[in-house]
C-alpha cells in the first residue's frame, strides 16, 4: 500500500531513519515490524519520495495480498491496516519536519490584499473564503482529508483552492503539492497543499494570479 503522501506533508530527516530502525539497502531504506497478536509483520520501504508498506505472514514469509485490496474491508484486514497506519504516523512524527503553512498563509492573505476571511458555511468552520472587491472569491482555504486528493489516508490537511490560467494547469499540477481542484471546476481551479513541502513563494505567486483572474472577470 502506498503511503507516499507523508512526503507531501512533511520534510524527511534522513539521518533519523536509522535511529527509527530502518536499514539502508542500496538506494532504499527498509524497516520490518511485527504486527501484534496477528502472526503477521509489515515491511516499509522508502525509495526516493515513495513509501510502500507490505504485510507478510510469519513462518512462510508469504505476502498477504488482501492488505492491498481496497474493497477487502473485513475486521482482520482493517485491523492490520490500522496498525500499519499507526507505524507510518510514528515514523513521520519521529523522522520528518511537519511544519504547516496554514497560519503563515492566512497572514499573507490578510496583509497582502488587506482582506479578512468570511466563513459562509456554518457546518464547516475550517472553510475560509477570501474575496476580491467584486465579492467573488479568489482563495478558498479548506481542511480536507488526503483521501480527497487521491491518497490512502483519512488524515486532515489544510489546502487552498485557487483560480489558474486554464492553459497552464497541466503544467502547474504536480500531484505532490499542487493538485487538480477538489470540489471545483478542474479546468479553471487548482488545489494547493498548505504544508512544509509547498514552495511558499510559488504559492504566493499563484494566489496573486488567482486574485487577478477573479478580479478581472466580468
Amino acid at each position: 500500500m502506498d503511503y507516499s503522501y507523508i512526503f507531501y506533508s512533511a520534510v524527511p530527516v534522513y539521518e533519523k531513519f536509522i535511529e527509527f530502525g530502518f536499514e539502508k539497502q542500496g538506494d532504499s531504506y527498509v524497516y520490518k515490524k511485527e504486527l501484534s497478536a496477528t502472526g503477521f509483520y509489515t515491511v516499509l520501504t522508502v525509495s526516493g519520495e515513495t513509501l510502500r508498506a507490505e504485510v507478510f505472514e510469519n513462518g512462510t514469509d508469504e505476502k498477504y495480498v488482501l492488505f492491498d485490496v481496497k474493497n477487502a474491508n473485513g475486521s482482520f484486514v482493517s485491523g492490520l491496516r490500522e496498525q500499519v497506519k499507526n507505524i507510518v504516523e510514528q515514523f513521520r512524527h519521529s523522522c520528518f519536519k511537519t511544519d504547516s503553512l496554514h497560519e503563515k498563509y492566512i497572514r499573507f492573505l490578510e496583509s497582502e490584499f488587506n482582506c479578512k476571511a468570511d466563513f459562509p458555511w456554518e457546518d464547516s468552520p475550517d472553510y475560509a473564503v477570501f474575496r476580491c472587491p467584486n465579492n467573488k472569491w479568489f482563495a478558498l482555504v479548506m481542511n480536507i482529508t488526503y483521501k480527497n486528493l487521491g491518497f490512502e489516508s483519512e488524515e486532515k490537511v489544510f489546502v487552498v483552492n485557487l483560480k489558474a490560467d486554464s492553459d497552464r494547469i497541466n503544467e502547474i499540477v504536480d500531484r505532490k503539492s499542487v493538485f487538480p481542484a477538489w470540489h471545483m471546476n478542474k479546468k479553471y481551479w487548482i488545489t494547493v497543499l498548505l504544508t512544509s513541502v509547498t514552495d511558499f513563494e510559488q504559492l504566493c505567486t499563484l494566489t496573486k494570479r488567482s486574485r487577478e483572474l477573479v478580479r478581472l472577470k466580468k
Side-chain angles (χ1 to χ4, degrees):
M1 188 169 288
D2 191 348
Y3 291 92
S4 302
Y5 77 90
I6 71 172
F7 284 92
Y8 310 151
S9 63
V11 178
V13 183
Y14 287 101
E15 55 267 29
K16 293 186 177 182
F17 284 24
I18 302 300
E19 292 179 28
F20 188 83
F22 279 81
E23 293 182 1
K24 190 80 163 61
Q25 296 184 6
D27 293 330
S28 301
Y29 292 86
V30 179
Y31 175 79
K32 179 179 177 180
K33 176 76 171 179
E34 294 287 330
L35 301 176
S36 62
T38 63
F40 290 81
Y41 64 90
T42 187
V43 174
L44 306 186
T45 303
V46 175
S47 180
E49 293 188 348
T50 299
L51 170 61
R52 287 201 58 82
E54 297 174 298
V55 171
F56 299 87
E57 186 175 359
N58 283 328
T60 65
D61 292 326
E62 290 185 3
K63 184 176 177 180
Y64 185 59
V65 294
L66 287 181
F67 179 76
D68 292 310
V69 178
K70 290 185 177 181
N71 61 358
N73 294 314
S75 60
F76 182 74
V77 69
S78 296
L80 291 177
R81 288 179 183 146
E82 185 66 22
Q83 285 198 54
V84 172
K85 185 186 77 170
N86 289 339
I87 293 168
V88 169
E89 285 305 308
Q90 291 169 14
F91 171 46
R92 187 175 70 156
H93 179 75
S94 300
C95 303
F96 288 71
K97 295 178 181 178
T98 58
D99 298 335
S100 172
L101 296 179
H102 176 238
E103 293 185 4
K104 180 179 179 180
Y105 183 61
I106 296 297
R107 291 196 298 271
F108 162 76
L109 289 168
E110 293 176 342
S111 62
E112 179 73 20
F113 305 112
N114 192 30
C115 64
K116 293 288 186 180
D118 63 74
F119 303 87
W121 299 283
E122 291 184 4
D123 59 344
S124 300
D126 289 325
Y127 282 42
V129 170
F130 289 83
R131 301 180 187 272
C132 293
N134 62 9
N135 206 39
K136 296 183 181 296
W137 71 50
F138 66 92
L140 170 60
V141 177
M142 303 174 288
N143 195 16
I144 64 176
T145 68
Y146 278 103
K147 201 161 191 176
N148 295 136
L149 300 175
F151 299 107
E152 291 295 327
S153 174
E154 297 289 349
E155 181 189 352
K156 291 261 191 168
V157 62
F158 278 103
V159 301
V160 60
N161 276 7
L162 299 171
K163 195 164 191 181
D165 295 284
S166 59
D167 60 347
R168 291 196 61 227
I169 285 182
N170 287 340
E171 170 193 339
I172 296 168
V173 169
D174 59 13
R175 295 185 184 273
K176 292 184 177 180
S177 58
V178 184
F179 296 80
W182 181 74
H183 226 273
M184 293 182 74
N185 191 327
K186 293 175 174 53
K187 185 177 179 180
Y188 301 104
W189 293 80
I190 56 176
T191 295
V192 185
L193 286 173
L194 299 180
T195 66
S196 55
V197 299
T198 299
D199 183 332
F200 193 75
E201 298 267 336
Q202 181 197 34
L203 173 61
C204 294
T205 299
L206 291 172
T207 303
K208 291 174 183 177
R209 182 56 179 161
S210 178
R211 189 175 187 274
E212 182 180 357
L213 289 169
V214 173
R215 183 175 61 84
L216 294 176
K217 183 178 180 181
K218 294 182 180 179

